[in-house]
Structure formats: structure tokens, C-alpha cells
Amino acid sequence: MKLKRHAILLSIAALGFGAGPLQAADGEEIYRSAMPPCSSCHDTGAAGAPKVGDAESWGDRLDKDTAVLVQSVKDGLGVMPAYEGKNTDEELTASVQWMVEQTRNGE
Ligand code: HEC
């Protein structure tokens, strides 16, 4: 009984956390829900994709302007498909910002 209440409290805490700063939550959600999901390549570094949380794999990309990075995502780059027309600029910008933040903070 006591354990159960603990579990409920934990899920309430998790919900509260999920409702944190709107932009950060959006960025991660788009990262996971765009088609195909950014996470399918950028979680693992598949196909030479810069891996989220691994600054070394990003190299100079971390110093690029967000607008430049977003443009690459809109146009597609190498094996990365073009997302222009699939997601709005705002959505792509939020997901790129989320990726860069995770990577900068990941050290
Ligand atoms: C099929 C795998 C794949 C998917 C899906 C994918 N990417 Fe990529 N992404 C890559 C690869 C590979 C590169 C490196 C391309 C190169 O430099 O040749 C890359 C590069 C990037 C870069 C760096 C661009 C630059 O100018 O250096 C960003 C930012 C990025 N992806 C964000 C995203 C976002 C946001 C999404 C989802 C909306 C996404 N990617 C989906 C594979 C993928």
C-alpha cells in the first residue's frame, strides 16, 4: 500500500516535469515525432549523424548558427532527408535547439 502511493507520487512528479518550459518540451517532441524521427539517426549517430549528447561527433557544427543548421534540415544533408514542407520552421528550430542544448550540456 505504502509502495503504491509512492509510485503515484512519482508519476505526478514526472507529469509536472514534462510540463516544464514549453519550448524545450516541444523541441524534444518534434525530435521524436517528425517523419522520419530525428531520433532514429541522431540518438545513435547512425549513418554518420552528429549524435545528441556527444559533442565530439558534432565538431564544428556546434558553433554554427542555429539558422544554418535549420536550413540543412530543411534542405536535407547527405543521407538526412529534407524536412521542408513536413515541419514548420518553428518546429525544426525548436528541435535543433533542443539537440544543441542536450549536446552542450551532455559533457
Ligand atoms: C536518416 C537519418 C537522419 C534523420 C532521420 C535526421 N538526420 Fe540530421 N543528420 C543526419 C546525418 C547523416 C547528418 C550529417 C550529414 C552530413 O554532414 O553529411 C545530419 C546532420 C544534421 C545536422 C547538422 C547540420 C549541419 O549543417 O551541419 C542537424 C542540425 C540535424 N541533422 C538535425 C536533424 C533534425 C532536427 C532532424 C529531424 C527533424 C534530423 N536531423 C533527422 C542524419 C539524419
Side-chain angles (χ1 to χ4, degrees):
M1 188 55 205
K2 213 175 172 197
L3 258 180
K4 210 170 194 178
R5 189 181 307 154
H6 190 62
I8 292 171
L9 281 179
L10 265 182
S11 24
I12 292 172
L15 277 176
F17 184 70
L22 194 62
Q23 209 185 15
D26 277 353
E28 180 172 8
E29 175 166 346
I30 288 140
Y31 175 78
R32 305 204 181 281
S33 66
M35 280 315 282
C38 322
S39 54
S40 63
C41 297
H42 290 279
D43 267 6
T44 58
K51 187 176 163 186
V52 168
D54 175 9
E56 204 174 309
S57 69
W58 280 69
D60 295 345
R61 300 186 210 267
L62 270 186
D63 300 323
K64 285 197 196 175
D65 242 37
T66 304
V68 173
L69 294 174
V70 170
Q71 194 61 48
S72 305
V73 180
K74 284 170 73 174
D75 296 343
L77 186 66
V79 297
M80 175 163 65
Y83 283 88
E84 173 119 63
K86 296 191 200 175
N87 291 91
T88 64
D89 286 13
E90 288 74 24
E91 289 173 335
L92 295 177
T93 302
S95 58
V96 167
Q97 281 172 342
W98 180 83
M99 290 169 78
V100 168
E101 269 166 34
Q102 293 299 303
T103 304
R104 287 221 174 103
N105 298 337
E107 293 309 279

